[in-house]
Amino acid sequence: MRMVDLIQKKRDGKLHTKEEIQFIIEGYTNGDIPDYQMSAWSMAIFFKDMNDDERAWFTEAIVHSGDTIDLSAIEGIKVDKHSTGGVGDTTTLILAPLVSSIGVPVAKMSGRGLGHTGGTIDKLEAMKGFSVDISNDEFIRLVNTNKVAVMGQTDNLTPADKKLYGLRDVTGTVNSIPMIASSIMSKKLAAGADAIVLDVKTGAGAFMKELDESRELAEAMVKIGNNLERNTTAIISDMNQPLGFMIGNALEVKEAIDTLNGRGPADLTELCYTLGSHMAVLAGKANSTEEARELLQEAVKTGKALEQFKLFIRSQGGDDTIVDSPENLPTATKTIAVPSLSSGYISAIMADEIGTSAMLLGAGRATKDSVIDLAVGIELHKKIGDAVEEGEALVTLHVNDADYETVVEKVQAAYSISKEEIPSPQLIYDVIS
Ligand code: URA
């Protein structure tokens, strides 16, 4: 087989065989196929797409380009959850203890944040002592004992995806549905998931800004999952504004505690119950999402979910006193109220700009090597639809030593205020399975 022939084949809109796709991914991973040929092929995919079979084979080939995690020693159906990235998205921190408290095994591999979106590991590390640096054996032991554990991504998971994503980033081929869908699904499959719940974000702060393209991505991922015999459900949820009120690592841990206590923000709580109930159904712990939701709500009401959070923290070396005493979390030295420049109703909040503002305060990484400040971030007081008076605080900045003057202006510019009353945006747009 010659790569040039395969590039021409796709350029002319023809279909690849499974062997051809394996040849491309193996050759690219081991260096036999150079970047310039892979770039040309990626551009051909961008314009000519892949059919459902090609997408499934492509995903499988990426899975087998590196290590895979074998979770078969864990009893039960392991359901993973993936979010396509947002601002203030604390759902993993809440869902891990919440769904495991009703018996769903949660064996999760998570990553660190980059740019305007936060990473689960950074948030977990805001709890003193918490470590995701655990061996595979310890990971499996913890899930079998406690039903929950989170570990950091191993280096050799889906190396073909790492290499290809880097190439797509500089060749204008990131925004291709088959490429994105396979990239995301390959990581979930390599991490050992039996079933997958996807939270596909849509709106200004999301990777996919339009509902139609978010739906197309969700459908593509669900099809790949189901073709590879993993029950997969996708929820399309709003990211036109940050989720919840807190953006920043320790601040989001605090918000997770509030939510597990039944006192969380309405949107974050609702999204967690929605995702959690689909996870419980896929894991076979409930026959319907309604039944699952009741189990989850009961776990919050009785304190079982919060006790499970303590167990999860303790078992991975963390300080579980933060659950009853959140003041033990890292706290910023200053709080700065950012006033509204006019009166009216909040009509839009540019979530990505708020995420970038939190990053500029030190809560996120501008580059992979940036050191983050776990204590700092942004607390929103106003969300879309809320009334506001001129001079009233839109947000509070939690600041240590960053220069916050430009952040104040950036946050003010991220809020749009209208004279007309504005309804709150819909949170859940669709469920696809
Ligand atoms: N996220 C991924 O993991 N892969 C993509 O291709 C795009 C977003």
Side-chain angles (χ1 to χ4, degrees):
M1 244 183 269
R2 292 192 323 153
M3 185 61 181
V4 62
D5 298 328
L6 302 182
I7 296 169
Q8 287 172 13
K9 190 173 183 187
K10 192 40 87 177
R11 179 201 66 194
D12 297 340
K14 302 203 175 99
L15 295 177
H16 284 309
T17 64
K18 184 172 184 175
E19 290 68 33
E20 287 168 354
I21 288 186
Q22 278 168 345
F23 170 84
I24 294 168
I25 292 300
E26 276 169 29
Y28 186 55
T29 311
N30 68 25
D32 288 347
I33 294 173
D35 278 350
Y36 55 82
Q37 285 192 308
M38 201 61 181
S39 309
W41 183 77
S42 301
M43 193 57 88
I45 297 290
F46 185 91
F47 284 112
K48 300 293 177 170
D49 210 336
M50 291 184 189
N51 75 2
D52 291 343
D53 282 339
E54 289 178 299
R55 292 175 183 196
W57 297 329
F58 184 51
T59 307
E60 251 184 332
I62 298 173
V63 170
H64 292 117
S65 68
D67 297 342
T68 54
I69 311 292
D70 180 4
L71 299 180
S72 57
I74 298 173
E75 296 147 35
I77 300 171
K78 278 73 68 183
V79 186
D80 203 351
K81 172 240 140 197
H82 178 82
S83 152
T84 60
V87 177
D89 187 342
T90 320
T91 49
T92 299
L93 226 57
I94 299 162
L95 284 169
L98 179 59
V99 303
S100 62
S101 76
I102 64 160
V104 176
V106 176
K108 184 135 189 71
M109 233 184 221
S110 285
R112 296 183 187 278
L114 184 62
H116 73 272
T117 59
T120 297
I121 293 185
D122 300 318
K123 297 171 198 177
L124 289 169
E125 286 178 350
M127 303 184 285
K128 202 168 76 206
F130 194 101
S131 174
V132 292
D133 195 10
I134 52 177
S135 67
N136 267 5
D137 287 351
E138 178 63 355
F139 180 59
I140 286 169
R141 189 191 69 76
L142 284 175
V143 183
N144 271 332
T145 318
N146 300 338
K147 293 277 176 219
V148 60
V150 174
M151 75 188 281
Q153 258 154 28
T154 55
D155 285 343
N156 198 36
L157 203 78
T158 61
D161 177 64
K162 283 197 191 96
K163 203 170 166 191
L164 184 55
Y165 191 83
L167 187 74
R168 287 166 53 211
D169 209 18
V170 292
T171 56
T173 51
V174 167
N175 248 341
S176 148
I177 296 278
M179 293 274 200
I180 302 170
S182 306
S183 165
I184 293 173
M185 291 302 286
S186 66
K187 286 174 277 207
K188 297 290 108 187
L189 297 187
D194 297 321
I196 301 154
V197 173
L198 300 159
D199 178 16
V200 179
K201 307 284 190 192
T202 193
F207 194 60
M208 294 289 174
K209 313 269 179 230
E210 302 299 329
L211 183 55
D212 282 357
E213 51 180 12
S214 305
R215 188 174 281 122
E216 204 187 327
L217 177 62
E219 282 168 355
M221 291 194 286
V222 167
K223 261 203 189 129
I224 289 173
N226 291 338
N227 280 345
L228 296 177
E229 285 158 22
R230 307 305 199 283
N231 275 333
T232 305
T233 301
I235 314 302
I236 302 183
S237 72
D238 187 70
M239 192 33 74
N240 277 304
Q241 60 180 340
L243 194 61
F245 295 119
M246 303 292 201
I247 301 124
N249 299 287
L251 292 172
E252 288 182 50
V253 172
K254 193 170 169 307
E255 189 158 67
I257 298 167
D258 288 344
T259 308
L260 289 165
N261 247 323
R263 296 194 296 261
D267 58 351
L268 180 60
T269 302
E270 176 55 28
L271 184 59
C272 286
Y273 281 137
T274 303
L275 295 170
S277 52
H278 283 281
M279 289 172 80
V281 169
L282 290 186
K285 290 288 165 193
N287 292 318
S288 66
T289 49
E290 293 75 21
E291 185 189 328
R293 184 179 279 256
E294 273 174 31
L295 293 173
L296 296 170
Q297 285 172 334
E298 188 64 16
V300 168
K301 213 162 90 194
T302 58
K304 204 164 107 186
L306 208 57
E307 281 310 309
Q308 179 71 355
F309 193 34
K310 287 185 193 166
L311 177 67
F312 167 50
I313 299 169
R314 230 175 17 245
S315 304
Q316 295 198 220
D319 170 18
D320 68 344
T321 66
I322 55 112
V323 173
D324 294 322
S325 311
E327 64 278 9
N328 292 347
L329 284 162
T331 308
T333 49
K334 292 189 275 279
T335 50
I336 313 287
V338 176
S340 175
L341 299 176
S342 57
S343 301
Y345 297 89
I346 310 297
S347 56
I349 307 173
M350 287 153 74
D352 44 356
E353 287 295 303
I354 300 286
T356 306
S357 299
M359 184 190 80
L360 292 173
L361 294 177
R365 290 184 184 80
T367 71
K368 263 197 287 199
D369 302 319
S370 313
V371 176
I372 57 172
D373 184 338
L374 297 167
V376 301
I378 299 178
E379 182 178 354
L380 306 186
H381 302 300
K382 298 289 175 185
K383 304 252 309 203
I384 296 176
D386 288 347
V388 64
E389 295 294 328
E390 185 181 335
E392 201 184 345
L394 292 170
V395 311
T396 295
L397 306 181
H398 292 248
V399 184
N400 274 332
D401 36 36
D403 170 15
Y404 60 82
E405 298 299 336
T406 51
V407 174
V408 169
E409 284 168 25
K410 210 173 172 55
V411 167
Q412 284 169 330
Y415 270 80
S416 301
I417 295 166
S418 136
K419 292 288 164 209
E420 314 290 317
E421 267 192 59
I422 301 283
S424 300
Q426 193 174 333
L427 178 67
I428 310 287
Y429 292 99
D430 212 346
V431 176
I432 295 163
S433 57

